[in-house]
Amino acid sequence: MNHSYKGKILISTPDISGDIFSRSVVLVIEHNENGAFGLILNKKNSQMSSKFKDFFDFKIEVYDGGPVENDKVFFIVKGKKVTDIYTEITSEYYLTEDIEHIINAVLSNELNIQQVKIFSGYSGWASNQLDAEVQRKMWTVVDVYNLDYTLPNDQTLWKSIMQNLGGEFLLWANSPEDISLN
């Protein structure tokens, strides 16, 4: 493997499958010869959001990180490290599964909930699988600078990035959700 997509954004090409990856924006957390790991930034999970609201007693958005291990919870945190168990994404963001420290930090106001994005599950690829999907044009790999990973995002994020890419991507950005209707 001569390259890594670690820290890059994957933009899905619209397709008619309608699966979780359709119109997804995925942050690649890790990519090496063993495979890749990432989180979908723009797919809200209303069922998990409701469960977290019941626990915290205030509204919290939970996102589908991907189709793998939906019983696992991940946090992207902006700023202060409140746990020793983390993976650095950038100097400003980190990823952790340390639910106890994150919840305690939020409840004690050490972290503002706006500094945290919660994910259920993750996106995973076996060795060379992501490279093959990129070659088949299932994903466009982009560097997106100044993207706040903790912002509440929806499908407008996918469309906005596609529009910024310009050219043929403008066609995809303006296509209907169900491209068979096009």
Side-chain angles (χ1 to χ4, degrees):
M1 190 172 118
N2 297 330
H3 65 280
S4 174
Y5 299 132
K6 181 178 180 173
K8 301 209 184 283
I9 298 290
L10 303 176
I11 307 298
S12 69
T13 303
D15 62 30
I16 57 173
S17 70
D19 71 7
I20 191 168
F21 290 119
S22 179
R23 296 180 184 246
S24 287
V25 176
V26 179
L27 171 63
V28 179
I29 308 290
E30 192 59 60
H31 181 222
N32 57 39
E33 64 279 347
N34 298 319
F37 168 88
L39 295 169
I40 300 173
L41 297 175
N42 65 323
K43 302 278 182 152
K44 293 180 182 175
N45 181 322
S46 57
Q47 184 179 21
M48 286 296 286
S49 296
S50 179
K51 288 181 183 180
F52 269 75
K53 182 185 183 295
D54 292 343
F55 181 79
F56 280 108
D57 204 28
F58 55 86
K59 185 178 178 179
I60 294 179
E61 295 289 353
V62 178
Y63 290 76
D64 279 322
V68 184
E69 293 190 65
N70 294 101
D71 57 332
K72 281 191 157 190
V73 176
F74 299 90
F75 303 89
I76 290 181
V77 183
K78 181 179 182 179
K80 183 178 182 182
K81 293 178 176 67
V82 295
T83 177
D84 293 330
I85 307 165
Y86 66 88
T87 300
E88 189 168 287
I89 298 170
T90 70
S91 60
E92 192 175 4
Y93 298 92
Y94 63 95
L95 173 78
T96 185
E97 294 178 64
D98 190 347
I99 192 167
E100 183 178 338
H101 280 94
I102 297 300
I103 288 174
N104 287 338
V106 168
L107 293 176
S108 69
N109 293 317
E110 190 176 354
L111 275 179
N112 184 316
I113 194 63
Q114 280 74 34
Q115 294 172 273
V116 180
K117 192 165 190 172
I118 306 168
F119 299 88
S120 169
Y122 66 91
S123 301
W125 294 265
S127 179
N128 298 316
Q129 182 183 3
L130 181 55
D131 294 308
E133 290 181 9
V134 169
Q135 286 179 342
R136 288 194 316 264
K137 305 231 184 272
M138 295 170 69
W139 299 102
T140 298
V141 182
V142 295
D143 285 311
V144 178
Y145 302 103
N146 301 321
L147 179 61
D148 186 337
Y149 304 130
T150 58
L151 281 179
N153 292 304
D154 56 18
Q155 289 302 7
T156 59
L157 177 63
W158 179 87
K159 185 173 183 169
S160 172
I161 293 172
M162 292 295 266
Q163 288 172 330
N164 286 336
L165 290 172
E168 69 181 78
F169 296 102
L170 283 173
L171 295 172
W172 290 116
N174 294 312
S175 67
E177 285 267 340
D178 183 352
I179 62 172
S180 67
L181 297 176
N182 208 8

mmCIF file of all heavy atoms in Angstrom, residues 47 53 66 77 119:
data_model
loop_
_atom_site.group_PDB
_atom_site.id
_atom_site.type_symbol
_atom_site.label_atom_id
_atom_site.label_comp_id
_atom_site.label_asym_id
_atom_site.label_seq_id
_atom_site.Cartn_x
_atom_site.Cartn_y
_atom_site.Cartn_z
ATOM 1 N N GLN A 47 -33.530 6.769 16.452
ATOM 2 C CA GLN A 47 -33.782 5.817 17.536
ATOM 3 C C GLN A 47 -32.732 5.956 18.650
ATOM 4 O O GLN A 47 -33.072 6.040 19.827
ATOM 5 C CB GLN A 47 -33.798 4.394 16.984
ATOM 6 C CG GLN A 47 -34.151 3.354 18.015
ATOM 7 C CD GLN A 47 -34.189 1.949 17.429
ATOM 8 O OE1 GLN A 47 -33.595 1.678 16.388
ATOM 9 N NE2 GLN A 47 -34.874 1.056 18.107
ATOM 10 N N LYS A 53 -31.440 10.938 24.672
ATOM 11 C CA LYS A 53 -32.244 12.020 25.251
ATOM 12 C C LYS A 53 -32.863 11.556 26.572
ATOM 13 O O LYS A 53 -32.881 12.288 27.553
ATOM 14 C CB LYS A 53 -33.335 12.477 24.296
ATOM 15 C CG LYS A 53 -34.162 13.634 24.842
ATOM 16 C CD LYS A 53 -35.320 13.971 23.919
ATOM 17 C CE LYS A 53 -36.105 15.155 24.405
ATOM 18 N NZ LYS A 53 -36.803 14.961 25.657
ATOM 19 N N GLY A 66 -21.882 3.897 10.729
ATOM 20 C CA GLY A 66 -21.772 2.921 9.659
ATOM 21 C C GLY A 66 -22.495 1.647 10.036
ATOM 22 O O GLY A 66 -23.068 1.543 11.128
ATOM 23 N N VAL A 77 -14.522 14.204 19.621
ATOM 24 C CA VAL A 77 -14.503 15.305 20.579
ATOM 25 C C VAL A 77 -13.586 16.397 20.051
ATOM 26 O O VAL A 77 -12.498 16.129 19.550
ATOM 27 C CB VAL A 77 -14.022 14.828 21.967
ATOM 28 C CG1 VAL A 77 -14.087 15.965 22.977
ATOM 29 C CG2 VAL A 77 -14.853 13.634 22.441
ATOM 30 N N PHE A 119 -21.648 8.655 17.751
ATOM 31 C CA PHE A 119 -21.904 7.733 16.642
ATOM 32 C C PHE A 119 -22.245 6.349 17.164
ATOM 33 O O PHE A 119 -21.645 5.876 18.120
ATOM 34 C CB PHE A 119 -20.661 7.607 15.754
ATOM 35 C CG PHE A 119 -20.241 8.888 15.122
ATOM 36 C CD1 PHE A 119 -19.380 9.751 15.792
ATOM 37 C CD2 PHE A 119 -20.702 9.248 13.868
ATOM 38 C CE1 PHE A 119 -18.992 10.950 15.217
ATOM 39 C CE2 PHE A 119 -20.319 10.440 13.288
ATOM 40 C CZ PHE A 119 -19.465 11.290 13.962
#
